[in-house]
Amino acid sequence: MFDGSAARKLDPAQAPPRLQLAGASVSVEAVGAMDDPTDRQELQALVRRANERSFGAGVGHEVHPNWLAVLSDGLGHRPRGLVARTADGDLVGWMPLAEVRSRLFGKHLSSLPYLNRAGLIAEGDDARDALLDAAVEQSDRLDARQLLVRFDGDAPQHPAWTDLRQGKPRLLLDLPTDAGSLWDLLPAKVRNQIRKGRRQPLEFRFGGVELLDGFYEVFAKNMRDLGTPVYGRRLFSSILEHFEDEAELVCVSMRGQAVGGALLIHDRWSGARLSQVPSASCLRETNPLSVNMAMYWRLLERSLERGARAFDFGRSTAGSGPYRFKRQWGAEPSTTTWASVARKGGEQDLRPDGLKHRRRVQAWKKLPLLVTRKIGPAIVRGVP
């Protein structure tokens, strides 16, 4: 398991000072990873209270402190969490942050890499504003090129924001209580594609690290074909280790060969009863056989079996092929905002999908798979 001893308390010279808001008794402290069991119980209670007041999927699993351990173990990022407390010591806010360093992209402070959202959780405007102020100051002290915060919904107002992006909504599907009811809600075209996929000799296996080879073989090839550097195996093994009761892999095989795979996370922690699929792939040559449709139907069935009431398909560019794929299941778009404070360089220079990187995507698609699996993880770990 993760040993957070090196990250529990930041170097006082690097940590932001405790902030005292005028007219309010809220202070913020940099704690790195949240390791104390009492603090974790307080945070879970804070998140669950927020979900009881919300509608839809609510506050996400992404603010779970274990994600900082995952990013440290799996990508080598340094945890830099921020905690907001009242003068009486009550926990009223938490902002998970990771320091990302890369020769290609420079130094960044992000909440959080790999995930579609994280942002912060706060009870009241004072706590929220104090956390944002502390995050901006932290990025200044670290001399980061950029502070990037992924919010669910609109970003709270802050004078430091230099860019707000909302072009990639999350696609969320409200789930009924059973698979039969969900089947009846699907369009006829989707049901026919699922039937076609299920007529293939497919085997679905759910499990942990024992399925990582099959999952990663498909995932790495698909990322290469998309022109995207692939995450290393260590990221996925770390997720399975730190969320052993909530994360699982599915491996889809046909005639003994892995043809599809996905990572599923079932949120038991926040009370939101949400399942999500952060990473999923099928071999392109199986598209005419509708293997991807059969796999996603099995993911939805599995989520229902695990008690989910909503399914998060992840973010996609509005109007794109992946966006249309997710919409056909009945998923509805939900706004996400990536808010950033650019301290060095222009916004386009800081974006991995900016114009200066597009030629690299085309070149990447032509590289041998062995090469992309070797050098891809070192590149993508630096993407904030």
Side-chain angles (χ1 to χ4, degrees), residues 65-102:
N66 277 12
W67 279 112
L68 292 181
V70 166
L71 295 173
S72 176
D73 287 357
L75 295 177
H77 300 332
R78 182 171 183 179
R80 292 191 175 275
L82 300 172
V83 168
R85 293 189 180 276
T86 66
D88 295 329
D90 296 328
L91 180 70
V92 290
W94 160 248
M95 188 174 188
L97 290 161
E99 180 186 342
V100 181
R101 297 190 181 198
S102 164

Side-chain angles (χ1 to χ4, degrees), residues 136 158-163 340-342:
V136 172
H158 195 279
W161 299 137
T162 58
D163 188 54
S340 59
V341 179

Side-chain angles (χ1 to χ4, degrees), residues 50-299:
N51 275 324
E52 289 172 358
R53 297 191 298 266
S54 67
F55 298 94
V59 177
H61 187 268
E62 293 86 347
V63 296
H64 196 303
N66 277 12
W67 279 112
L68 292 181
V70 166
L71 295 173
S72 176
D73 287 357
L75 295 177
H77 300 332
R78 182 171 183 179
R80 292 191 175 275
L82 300 172
V83 168
R85 293 189 180 276
T86 66
D88 295 329
D90 296 328
L91 180 70
V92 290
W94 160 248
M95 188 174 188
L97 290 161
E99 180 186 342
V100 181
R101 297 190 181 198
S102 164
R103 292 183 179 180
L104 182 61
F105 298 112
K107 186 192 299 183
H108 298 260
L109 195 60
S110 178
S111 179
L112 279 173
Y114 178 67
L115 301 174
N116 291 319
R117 58 174 183 160
L120 58 86
I121 174 70
E123 207 157 51
D125 294 345
D126 288 346
R128 179 201 65 203
D129 294 342
L131 287 169
L132 290 174
D133 289 343
V136 172
E137 184 167 347
Q138 183 86 300
S139 68
D140 290 339
R141 285 173 172 264
L142 292 172
D143 194 27
R145 293 188 68 193
Q146 174 186 229
L147 167 67
L148 174 62
V149 187
R150 296 164 165 89
F151 290 103
D152 195 24
D154 295 325
Q157 293 185 355
H158 195 279
W161 299 137
T162 58
D163 188 54
L164 298 172
R165 281 179 277 162
Q166 293 186 333
K168 291 189 175 184
R170 293 167 63 218
L171 279 299
L172 296 170
L173 176 64
D174 289 334
L175 296 176
T177 56
D178 60 88
S181 299
L182 177 59
W183 180 263
D184 292 338
L185 293 173
L186 296 177
K189 180 180 178 180
V190 172
R191 293 199 298 265
N192 288 336
Q193 290 176 316
I194 295 171
R195 292 189 186 102
K196 181 178 180 180
R198 295 173 74 180
R199 286 196 293 268
Q200 312 307 318
L202 301 178
E203 178 186 3
F204 295 88
R205 290 181 295 157
F206 288 88
V209 292
E210 72 277 5
L211 300 181
L212 186 54
D213 286 346
F215 162 81
Y216 195 74
E217 177 184 345
V218 174
F219 183 71
K221 186 176 188 302
N222 192 54
M223 291 299 101
R224 190 280 309 269
D225 292 344
L226 291 172
T228 302
V230 65
Y231 285 105
R233 288 168 51 97
R234 180 56 188 159
L235 173 63
F236 300 104
S237 64
S238 182
I239 292 172
L240 294 169
E241 175 186 353
H242 291 287
F243 294 110
E244 59 182 352
D245 294 328
E246 297 172 294
E248 61 180 346
L249 294 176
V250 58
C251 187
V252 186
S253 301
M254 185 163 61
R255 299 185 180 92
Q257 178 189 357
V259 295
L263 169 68
L264 262 179
I265 297 178
H266 310 285
D267 184 358
R268 294 180 174 180
W269 178 76
S270 74
R273 300 180 67 183
L274 173 74
S275 290
Q276 58 179 301
V277 54
S279 297
S281 297
C282 282
L283 296 181
R284 287 190 170 189
E285 51 265 37
T286 66
N287 287 348
L289 304 177
S290 294
V291 170
N292 201 35
M293 297 297 292
M295 182 180 76
Y296 266 86
W297 171 249
R298 188 66 189 96
L299 296 180

Side-chain angles (χ1 to χ4, degrees), residues 354-365:
L355 181 62
K356 64 182 289 187
H357 301 296
R358 291 177 188 171
R359 288 190 295 270
R360 297 172 182 170
V361 170
Q362 298 305 316
W364 192 265
K365 294 179 180 180

